[in-house]
Amino acid sequence: MSGILKAFLENERAIKRYLSRYSSSLQDVDDYAQETFLRGFAAEIRIPVEEPKAYLFKVAKNVMLADIRKQSRSANGYLQETDDVTHILDEGQASVEEWLDGRKKLTLFAKAVAHLSPRCRKAFLLRRIDGLKYKQIANRMDISVSAVEKHVTNGLLKCNQYLREQGYQPSEFGAAFGAVKKVAHGRARRRVKHDE
């Protein structure tokens, strides 16, 4: 199992308590916690994380601070601080059930990937999350293109099998997979910083 996933599952409540010191909104705290996991998981793919728990708390702080900076630069950032109940609700907003289901799927996807062998996991994530071409992956991993294709195919088959064993069809994981991909692409543009 991924060290980040294990640390997150063991410390999720503590991370949320830590984040709630800086935000009174339960939705913001949940969003920050989920973003913390996604960033930590994406980073673990690229660099070894020696102390996953400490790393997650550091990422949580950076996620929260980045959002606060973004809100302070935003022209309508002041709306976030008001208690006015006349805010317009987004009709397309996910329900609590949809949010919880998405969270469960994201965790299952992370567990499925964590069950892959290290080389298979790396090739699979470089292809499916980072969107690299087989030749780029082969160069990065110093293996043949054929070996990359086998790792990616094997990773896909094993992840699909794991998800089916958990009672899901792999096609149901589009949103969870998309969330991981979005975070990974954002991190690829900025390159992973060791101080997160």
Side-chain angles (χ1 to χ4, degrees):
M1 175 184 279
S2 156
I4 288 291
L5 175 60
K6 184 178 181 198
F8 183 78
L9 294 174
E10 290 172 354
N11 297 286
E12 183 176 7
R13 284 188 179 157
I15 290 169
K16 286 183 178 180
R17 274 195 309 272
Y18 173 74
L19 290 167
S20 68
R21 290 191 279 170
Y22 302 101
S23 176
S24 59
S25 166
L26 183 60
Q27 180 64 42
D28 285 347
V29 168
D30 287 341
D31 288 347
Y32 293 150
Q34 186 171 6
E35 182 74 10
T36 296
F37 167 71
L38 291 173
R39 288 187 184 196
F41 189 72
E44 184 181 42
I45 296 164
R46 294 172 180 83
I47 59 170
V49 178
E50 299 296 324
E51 297 289 332
K53 179 180 176 183
Y55 186 80
L56 283 171
F57 276 92
K58 202 176 264 192
V59 171
K61 179 180 175 185
N62 288 340
V63 164
M64 185 259 320
L65 290 174
D67 193 54
I68 289 172
R69 281 192 294 270
K70 184 174 115 182
Q71 286 179 17
S72 70
R73 288 191 299 258
S74 170
N76 62 358
Y78 68 90
L79 291 176
Q80 300 293 329
E81 298 173 12
T82 182
D83 290 331
D84 186 3
V85 293
T86 61
H87 287 302
I88 298 172
L89 295 176
D90 179 8
E91 294 297 323
Q93 187 174 1
S95 68
V96 173
E97 292 83 15
E98 292 170 329
W99 182 83
L100 288 171
D101 187 51
R103 187 174 177 89
K104 182 178 180 182
K105 287 177 181 177
L106 182 62
T107 302
L108 280 173
F109 174 74
K111 286 181 179 180
V113 172
H115 280 88
L116 300 175
S117 69
R119 290 181 71 83
C120 180
R121 178 174 47 238
K122 185 172 184 177
F124 178 75
L125 291 173
L126 287 171
R127 176 69 183 144
R128 301 294 296 189
I129 302 296
D130 291 341
L132 296 181
K133 296 181 180 181
Y134 289 115
K135 188 171 184 176
Q136 293 172 311
I137 299 168
N139 290 337
R140 187 175 287 191
M141 293 181 65
D142 196 28
I143 59 177
S144 69
V145 172
S146 169
V148 171
E149 290 170 348
K150 288 175 186 170
H151 283 310
V152 172
T153 302
N154 191 30
L156 185 61
L157 292 173
K158 286 188 176 185
C159 284
N160 286 347
Q161 179 184 352
Y162 181 86
L163 298 176
R164 283 190 185 97
E165 289 170 0
Q166 302 305 313
Y168 286 93
Q169 288 300 316
S171 60
E172 297 177 49
F173 281 75
F177 183 72
V180 173
K181 194 169 187 173
K182 181 180 173 187
V183 169
H185 279 295
R187 299 209 38 94
R189 283 192 296 270
R190 293 189 305 271
R191 282 288 154 228
V192 176
K193 296 178 184 174
H194 291 282
D195 61 344
E196 282 191 348

Tab-separated table of all heavy atoms in Angstrom, residues 51-84:
chain	number	residue	atom	x	y	z
A	51	GLU	N	8.796	10.614	5.371
A	51	GLU	CA	7.867	10.756	6.498
A	51	GLU	C	6.498	11.158	5.958
A	51	GLU	O	6.160	12.341	5.929
A	51	GLU	CB	8.380	11.823	7.482
A	51	GLU	CG	9.701	11.497	8.138
A	51	GLU	CD	9.574	10.376	9.148
A	51	GLU	OE1	8.485	10.210	9.731
A	51	GLU	OE2	10.567	9.658	9.345
A	52	PRO	N	5.679	10.183	5.538
A	52	PRO	CA	4.403	10.520	4.890
A	52	PRO	C	3.480	11.386	5.738
A	52	PRO	O	2.853	12.308	5.224
A	52	PRO	CB	3.770	9.152	4.617
A	52	PRO	CG	4.899	8.193	4.602
A	52	PRO	CD	5.920	8.744	5.551
A	53	LYS	N	3.396	11.124	7.041
A	53	LYS	CA	2.494	11.904	7.894
A	53	LYS	C	2.936	13.363	7.931
A	53	LYS	O	2.125	14.273	7.701
A	53	LYS	CB	2.470	11.323	9.309
A	53	LYS	CG	1.578	12.089	10.254
A	53	LYS	CD	1.596	11.476	11.648
A	53	LYS	CE	0.784	12.308	12.620
A	53	LYS	NZ	0.858	11.757	13.981
A	54	ALA	N	4.190	13.613	8.201
A	54	ALA	CA	4.702	14.988	8.252
A	54	ALA	C	4.551	15.667	6.898
A	54	ALA	O	4.201	16.845	6.807
A	54	ALA	CB	6.165	14.994	8.696
A	55	TYR	N	4.805	14.914	5.839
A	55	TYR	CA	4.688	15.446	4.485
A	55	TYR	C	3.255	15.886	4.215
A	55	TYR	O	3.015	16.963	3.665
A	55	TYR	CB	5.139	14.392	3.480
A	55	TYR	CG	5.186	14.886	2.058
A	55	TYR	CD1	6.251	15.644	1.598
A	55	TYR	CD2	4.162	14.591	1.170
A	55	TYR	CE1	6.293	16.098	0.296
A	55	TYR	CE2	4.200	15.040	-0.138
A	55	TYR	CZ	5.269	15.787	-0.568
A	55	TYR	OH	5.301	16.239	-1.856
A	56	LEU	N	2.275	15.059	4.616
A	56	LEU	CA	0.879	15.406	4.393
A	56	LEU	C	0.485	16.679	5.146
A	56	LEU	O	-0.259	17.509	4.617
A	56	LEU	CB	-0.031	14.242	4.803
A	56	LEU	CG	-0.089	13.079	3.821
A	56	LEU	CD1	-0.836	11.899	4.423
A	56	LEU	CD2	-0.721	13.504	2.506
A	57	PHE	N	0.978	16.851	6.363
A	57	PHE	CA	0.660	18.072	7.104
A	57	PHE	C	1.283	19.298	6.432
A	57	PHE	O	0.677	20.360	6.377
A	57	PHE	CB	1.102	17.957	8.570
A	57	PHE	CG	0.087	17.266	9.430
A	57	PHE	CD1	0.150	15.897	9.631
A	57	PHE	CD2	-0.939	17.969	10.014
A	57	PHE	CE1	-0.792	15.242	10.403
A	57	PHE	CE2	-1.900	17.334	10.793
A	57	PHE	CZ	-1.820	15.964	10.990
A	58	LYS	N	2.472	19.136	5.898
A	58	LYS	CA	3.122	20.230	5.187
A	58	LYS	C	2.347	20.579	3.914
A	58	LYS	O	2.120	21.748	3.608
A	58	LYS	CB	4.563	19.840	4.836
A	58	LYS	CG	5.476	21.012	4.589
A	58	LYS	CD	6.897	20.533	4.355
A	58	LYS	CE	7.673	20.607	5.632
A	58	LYS	NZ	9.107	20.427	5.436
A	59	VAL	N	1.910	19.560	3.186
A	59	VAL	CA	1.114	19.777	1.977
A	59	VAL	C	-0.212	20.441	2.345
A	59	VAL	O	-0.658	21.367	1.659
A	59	VAL	CB	0.879	18.448	1.217
A	59	VAL	CG1	-0.122	18.637	0.087
A	59	VAL	CG2	2.186	17.904	0.660
A	60	ALA	N	-0.848	19.976	3.431
A	60	ALA	CA	-2.128	20.549	3.870
A	60	ALA	C	-1.985	22.048	4.124
A	60	ALA	O	-2.823	22.852	3.695
A	60	ALA	CB	-2.617	19.834	5.129
A	61	LYS	N	-0.930	22.419	4.792
A	61	LYS	CA	-0.700	23.837	5.079
A	61	LYS	C	-0.524	24.624	3.775
A	61	LYS	O	-1.106	25.694	3.603
A	61	LYS	CB	0.550	23.992	5.956
A	61	LYS	CG	0.889	25.428	6.287
A	61	LYS	CD	2.132	25.503	7.147
A	61	LYS	CE	2.540	26.942	7.387
A	61	LYS	NZ	3.796	27.028	8.121
A	62	ASN	N	0.261	24.079	2.845
A	62	ASN	CA	0.499	24.770	1.582
A	62	ASN	C	-0.772	24.867	0.733
A	62	ASN	O	-1.000	25.880	0.076
A	62	ASN	CB	1.616	24.087	0.797
A	62	ASN	CG	2.966	24.325	1.434
A	62	ASN	OD1	3.149	25.253	2.206
A	62	ASN	ND2	3.925	23.471	1.121
A	63	VAL	N	-1.590	23.826	0.747
A	63	VAL	CA	-2.859	23.848	-0.001
A	63	VAL	C	-3.752	24.954	0.544
A	63	VAL	O	-4.321	25.750	-0.207
A	63	VAL	CB	-3.566	22.469	0.089
A	63	VAL	CG1	-5.017	22.560	-0.331
A	63	VAL	CG2	-2.833	21.445	-0.748
A	64	MET	N	-3.883	24.996	1.851
A	64	MET	CA	-4.738	25.986	2.486
A	64	MET	C	-4.222	27.403	2.246
A	64	MET	O	-4.977	28.308	1.881
A	64	MET	CB	-4.822	25.675	3.987
A	64	MET	CG	-5.759	26.543	4.760
A	64	MET	SD	-4.925	27.864	5.670
A	64	MET	CE	-3.485	27.104	6.283
A	65	LEU	N	-2.915	27.612	2.398
A	65	LEU	CA	-2.341	28.939	2.185
A	65	LEU	C	-2.473	29.385	0.730
A	65	LEU	O	-2.745	30.563	0.461
A	65	LEU	CB	-0.870	28.961	2.616
A	65	LEU	CG	-0.627	28.851	4.121
A	65	LEU	CD1	0.865	28.742	4.411
A	65	LEU	CD2	-1.232	30.040	4.856
A	66	ALA	N	-2.288	28.469	-0.201
A	66	ALA	CA	-2.421	28.810	-1.623
A	66	ALA	C	-3.849	29.255	-1.928
A	66	ALA	O	-4.064	30.215	-2.678
A	66	ALA	CB	-2.036	27.619	-2.495
A	67	ASP	N	-4.823	28.577	-1.337
A	67	ASP	CA	-6.213	28.958	-1.572
A	67	ASP	C	-6.527	30.315	-0.948
A	67	ASP	O	-7.227	31.129	-1.549
A	67	ASP	CB	-7.157	27.893	-1.029
A	67	ASP	CG	-8.577	28.100	-1.525
A	67	ASP	OD1	-8.755	28.191	-2.762
A	67	ASP	OD2	-9.497	28.187	-0.692
A	68	ILE	N	-6.004	30.566	0.226
A	68	ILE	CA	-6.221	31.860	0.883
A	68	ILE	C	-5.603	32.978	0.041
A	68	ILE	O	-6.214	34.028	-0.156
A	68	ILE	CB	-5.655	31.849	2.318
A	68	ILE	CG1	-6.537	30.954	3.195
A	68	ILE	CG2	-5.578	33.267	2.880
A	68	ILE	CD1	-5.985	30.701	4.580
A	69	ARG	N	-4.380	32.747	-0.475
A	69	ARG	CA	-3.751	33.758	-1.339
A	69	ARG	C	-4.583	33.994	-2.592
A	69	ARG	O	-4.777	35.124	-3.021
A	69	ARG	CB	-2.340	33.327	-1.719
A	69	ARG	CG	-1.310	33.564	-0.634
A	69	ARG	CD	0.101	33.399	-1.160
A	69	ARG	NE	0.389	32.039	-1.570
A	69	ARG	CZ	0.884	31.097	-0.778
A	69	ARG	NH1	1.154	31.381	0.484
A	69	ARG	NH2	1.116	29.891	-1.231
A	70	LYS	N	-5.097	32.916	-3.163
A	70	LYS	CA	-5.911	33.030	-4.368
A	70	LYS	C	-7.177	33.828	-4.083
A	70	LYS	O	-7.566	34.689	-4.866
A	70	LYS	CB	-6.267	31.638	-4.889
A	70	LYS	CG	-7.023	31.643	-6.199
A	70	LYS	CD	-7.195	30.223	-6.701
A	70	LYS	CE	-8.667	29.914	-6.696
A	70	LYS	NZ	-8.978	28.565	-7.117
A	71	GLN	N	-7.811	33.563	-2.959
A	71	GLN	CA	-9.026	34.292	-2.594
A	71	GLN	C	-8.742	35.765	-2.344
A	71	GLN	O	-9.547	36.620	-2.698
A	71	GLN	CB	-9.666	33.674	-1.356
A	71	GLN	CG	-10.349	32.362	-1.620
A	71	GLN	CD	-10.945	31.766	-0.363
A	71	GLN	OE1	-11.123	32.453	0.634
A	71	GLN	NE2	-11.261	30.487	-0.402
A	72	SER	N	-7.600	36.053	-1.731
A	72	SER	CA	-7.292	37.449	-1.432
A	72	SER	C	-7.018	38.248	-2.703
A	72	SER	O	-7.244	39.447	-2.745
A	72	SER	CB	-6.103	37.547	-0.469
A	72	SER	OG	-4.915	37.153	-1.122
A	73	ARG	N	-6.536	37.563	-3.767
A	73	ARG	CA	-6.302	38.236	-5.048
A	73	ARG	C	-7.570	38.343	-5.872
A	73	ARG	O	-7.648	39.120	-6.811
A	73	ARG	CB	-5.234	37.494	-5.848
A	73	ARG	CG	-3.843	37.654	-5.300
A	73	ARG	CD	-2.822	37.121	-6.269
A	73	ARG	NE	-3.004	35.702	-6.531
A	73	ARG	CZ	-2.275	34.727	-5.991
A	73	ARG	NH1	-1.310	35.026	-5.168
A	73	ARG	NH2	-2.508	33.476	-6.286
A	74	SER	N	-8.551	37.539	-5.546
A	74	SER	CA	-9.790	37.493	-6.309
A	74	SER	C	-10.634	38.726	-6.032
A	74	SER	O	-10.755	39.179	-4.901
A	74	SER	CB	-10.567	36.233	-5.927
A	74	SER	OG	-11.856	36.269	-6.472
A	75	ALA	N	-11.254	39.255	-7.066
A	75	ALA	CA	-12.107	40.444	-6.915
A	75	ALA	C	-13.325	40.148	-6.063
A	75	ALA	O	-13.836	41.022	-5.384
A	75	ALA	CB	-12.547	40.942	-8.282
A	76	ASN	N	-13.807	38.914	-6.079
A	76	ASN	CA	-14.976	38.579	-5.273
A	76	ASN	C	-14.624	37.706	-4.082
A	76	ASN	O	-15.477	37.037	-3.537
A	76	ASN	CB	-16.047	37.915	-6.130
A	76	ASN	CG	-15.583	36.611	-6.723
A	76	ASN	OD1	-14.442	36.207	-6.533
A	76	ASN	ND2	-16.467	35.953	-7.460
A	77	GLY	N	-13.385	37.704	-3.660
A	77	GLY	CA	-12.943	36.902	-2.529
A	77	GLY	C	-13.670	37.230	-1.248
A	77	GLY	O	-13.852	36.375	-0.395
A	78	TYR	N	-14.125	38.473	-1.108
A	78	TYR	CA	-14.807	38.862	0.113
A	78	TYR	C	-16.104	38.092	0.304
A	78	TYR	O	-16.590	37.952	1.420
A	78	TYR	CB	-15.090	40.367	0.118
A	78	TYR	CG	-16.109	40.790	-0.906
A	78	TYR	CD1	-17.454	40.829	-0.579
A	78	TYR	CD2	-15.722	41.138	-2.196
A	78	TYR	CE1	-18.390	41.191	-1.521
A	78	TYR	CE2	-16.656	41.506	-3.127
A	78	TYR	CZ	-17.984	41.535	-2.797
A	78	TYR	OH	-18.908	41.897	-3.726
A	79	LEU	N	-16.697	37.560	-0.749
A	79	LEU	CA	-17.939	36.796	-0.620
A	79	LEU	C	-17.751	35.538	0.201
A	79	LEU	O	-18.684	35.062	0.826
A	79	LEU	CB	-18.477	36.423	-2.003
A	79	LEU	CG	-19.005	37.568	-2.846
A	79	LEU	CD1	-19.405	37.056	-4.220
A	79	LEU	CD2	-20.183	38.244	-2.170
A	80	GLN	N	-16.538	34.997	0.208
A	80	GLN	CA	-16.280	33.785	0.963
A	80	GLN	C	-16.386	34.017	2.464
A	80	GLN	O	-16.621	33.105	3.216
A	80	GLN	CB	-14.878	33.239	0.633
A	80	GLN	CG	-14.675	32.891	-0.806
A	80	GLN	CD	-15.523	31.712	-1.235
A	80	GLN	OE1	-15.815	30.833	-0.441
A	80	GLN	NE2	-15.925	31.700	-2.484
A	81	GLU	N	-16.198	35.257	2.898
A	81	GLU	CA	-16.144	35.541	4.327
A	81	GLU	C	-17.487	35.966	4.903
A	81	GLU	O	-17.636	36.101	6.095
A	81	GLU	CB	-15.104	36.629	4.586
A	81	GLU	CG	-13.718	36.197	4.183
A	81	GLU	CD	-12.711	37.327	4.266
A	81	GLU	OE1	-13.029	38.378	4.847
A	81	GLU	OE2	-11.618	37.140	3.741
A	82	THR	N	-18.470	36.215	4.089
A	82	THR	CA	-19.740	36.701	4.573
A	82	THR	C	-20.632	35.553	5.038
A	82	THR	O	-20.523	34.440	4.551
A	82	THR	CB	-20.459	37.529	3.483
A	82	THR	OG1	-21.673	38.021	4.027
A	82	THR	CG2	-20.746	36.705	2.259
A	83	ASP	N	-21.508	35.846	5.991
A	83	ASP	CA	-22.458	34.854	6.478
A	83	ASP	C	-23.827	35.035	5.833
A	83	ASP	O	-24.811	34.440	6.258
A	83	ASP	CB	-22.604	34.957	8.004
A	83	ASP	CG	-21.360	34.485	8.721
A	83	ASP	OD1	-20.663	33.608	8.167
A	83	ASP	OD2	-21.087	34.988	9.821
A	84	ASP	N	-23.900	35.856	4.805
A	84	ASP	CA	-25.148	36.135	4.122
A	84	ASP	C	-25.686	34.853	3.494
A	84	ASP	O	-25.013	34.202	2.712
A	84	ASP	CB	-24.907	37.202	3.047
A	84	ASP	CG	-26.193	37.657	2.387
A	84	ASP	OD1	-27.273	37.183	2.795
A	84	ASP	OD2	-26.105	38.501	1.477
